[in-house]
């Protein structure tokens, strides 16, 4: 169990470093939703994710208070504090809006230092079609992060399904064409296709071995429902696909 927890800590922190500097403009969610629906997919779930280290160090004696302030600002459940050998992890979750839930993770991987810069992860999950409630919660997150000296770094992913008509790549090709996107990297198997690309219609991005990317599209077949699962994310997909 401890090995799994330490692996998760390392994964979250690596992801924050990998995505550092990328921002999702408020219009990015609407762009992705419009393209998603235009290829015939029915939205089923979506995730708005913030992940970054804080820029201003927090004193070790004030860490619990800092996390408590975040939890209170987001009106989440009481914080669960776990102490591991190399890190202290704070976790809390709760309902943050109609059909929306949020999970807050604060990871202090420098627990012995007097001052440290923990990694903050906030995931907001919703079902169905993103709407005004997501926009309201996004604005709330921006205010909470700014008030605690944290620069927002948002990533948005939407996932759904559609009838299985032809090959796996059809909705991906259609979506990337509508986004005027150029392929950067890809992963293709008989069961799953994932393509990373860059589009001028979305801001920001991150550098990979293949170049700068700010959109990822993936598709696989759900053999139980005989439907195609389609996922679209910027700058990358942040949920299982």
């Amino acid at each position: 169990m401890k090995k799994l927890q330490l692996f998760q800590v390392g994964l979250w922190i690596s992801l924050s470093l990998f995505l550092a500097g990328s921002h999702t403009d408020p219009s990015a969610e609407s762009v992705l939703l419009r393209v998603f629906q235009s290829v015939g997919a029915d939205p089923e779930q979506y995730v708005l994710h913030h992940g970054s280290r804080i820029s201003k160090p927090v004193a070790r004696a004030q860490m619990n208070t800092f996390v408590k302030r975040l939890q209170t600002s987001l009106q989440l459940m009481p914080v669960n504090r776990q102490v591991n050998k190399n890190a202290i992890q704070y976790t809390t979750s709760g309902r943050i809006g109609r059909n929306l839930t949020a999970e807050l993770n604060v990871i202090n991987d420098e627990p012995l230092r007097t001052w440290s810069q923990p990694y903050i992860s906030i995931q907001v999950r919703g079902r169905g079609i993103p709407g005004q409630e997501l926009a309201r919660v996004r604005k709330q997150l921006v205010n909470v992060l700014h008030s605690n000296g944290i620069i927002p770094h948002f990533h948005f992913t939407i996932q759904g399904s559609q009838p299985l008509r032809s090959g796996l790549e059809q909705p991906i090709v259609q979506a990337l064409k509508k986004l005027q996107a150029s392929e950067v990297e890809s992963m293709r198997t008989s069961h799953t296709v994932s393509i990373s690309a860059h589009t001028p219609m979305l801001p920001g991005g991150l550098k990979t071995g293949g170049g700068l990317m700010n959109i990822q599209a993936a598709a696989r077949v759900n053999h139980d429902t005989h439907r195609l699962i389609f996922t679209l994310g910027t700058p990358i997909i942040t949920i299982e696909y």
Side-chain angles (χ1 to χ4, degrees):
M1 180 63 71
K2 287 186 177 180
K3 289 184 178 179
L4 176 59
Q5 291 171 338
L6 291 176
F7 171 76
Q8 291 173 329
V9 169
L11 180 62
W12 276 320
I13 293 172
S14 297
L15 184 63
S16 73
L17 295 174
F18 185 60
L19 296 177
S22 61
H23 298 265
T24 298
D25 187 86
S27 63
E29 290 92 350
S30 59
V31 170
L32 257 63
L33 176 61
R34 183 173 67 251
V35 171
F36 191 90
Q37 293 179 308
S38 72
V39 302
D42 299 319
E44 295 173 359
Q45 65 171 323
Y46 53 90
V47 174
L48 180 67
H49 175 259
H50 160 84
S52 72
R53 286 190 183 276
I54 64 172
S55 56
K56 185 178 180 180
V58 176
R60 181 172 58 189
Q62 295 298 316
M63 189 63 66
N64 290 348
T65 302
F66 170 74
V67 176
K68 176 66 176 178
R69 189 164 62 245
L70 287 175
Q71 174 257 326
T72 302
S73 298
L74 295 171
Q75 298 181 323
L76 301 178
M77 300 291 287
V79 175
N80 177 36
R81 182 175 181 268
Q82 289 185 311
V83 180
N84 301 313
K85 182 179 179 181
N86 298 315
I88 299 176
Q89 181 177 341
Y90 304 81
T91 305
T92 177
S93 60
R95 188 169 296 279
I96 197 172
R98 185 168 54 87
N99 298 324
L100 293 175
T101 59
E103 180 176 320
L104 167 68
N105 283 280
V106 179
I107 302 170
N108 179 13
D109 58 339
E110 302 170 320
L112 300 181
R113 299 188 62 173
T114 304
W115 296 86
S116 59
Q117 295 170 280
Y119 171 66
I120 311 295
S121 169
I122 303 175
Q123 276 201 345
V124 175
R125 292 179 175 269
R127 294 282 180 180
I129 301 175
Q132 291 301 315
E133 188 69 358
L134 177 63
R136 182 194 65 78
V137 169
R138 188 190 197 282
K139 184 177 180 180
Q140 178 186 354
L141 289 182
V142 169
N143 291 335
V144 169
L145 292 170
H146 279 160
S147 65
N148 285 278
I150 303 170
I151 300 173
H153 292 274
F154 288 123
H155 319 289
F156 182 68
T157 300
I158 184 168
Q159 184 178 79
S161 65
Q162 64 183 81
L164 186 58
R165 300 187 183 94
S166 57
L168 281 175
E169 291 197 35
Q170 181 181 1
I172 297 177
V173 171
Q174 290 177 336
L176 295 183
K177 183 177 181 180
K178 291 179 182 295
L179 288 167
Q180 303 172 24
S182 302
E183 181 176 326
V184 174
E185 293 179 340
S186 66
M187 184 277 293
R188 292 174 169 89
T189 71
S190 58
H191 306 290
T192 305
V193 175
S194 172
I195 297 179
S196 301
H198 182 269
T199 169
M201 296 175 63
L202 294 171
L206 56 91
K207 291 183 179 180
T208 69
L212 184 67
M213 62 165 286
N214 60 1
I215 185 71
Q216 183 181 4
R220 66 175 175 85
V221 176
N222 184 329
H223 294 286
D224 294 330
T225 61
H226 302 289
R227 290 176 67 85
L228 185 145
I229 306 301
F230 181 53
T231 311
L232 203 57
T234 180
I236 66 170
I237 293 171
T238 56
I239 61 176
E240 182 179 355
Y241 61 86

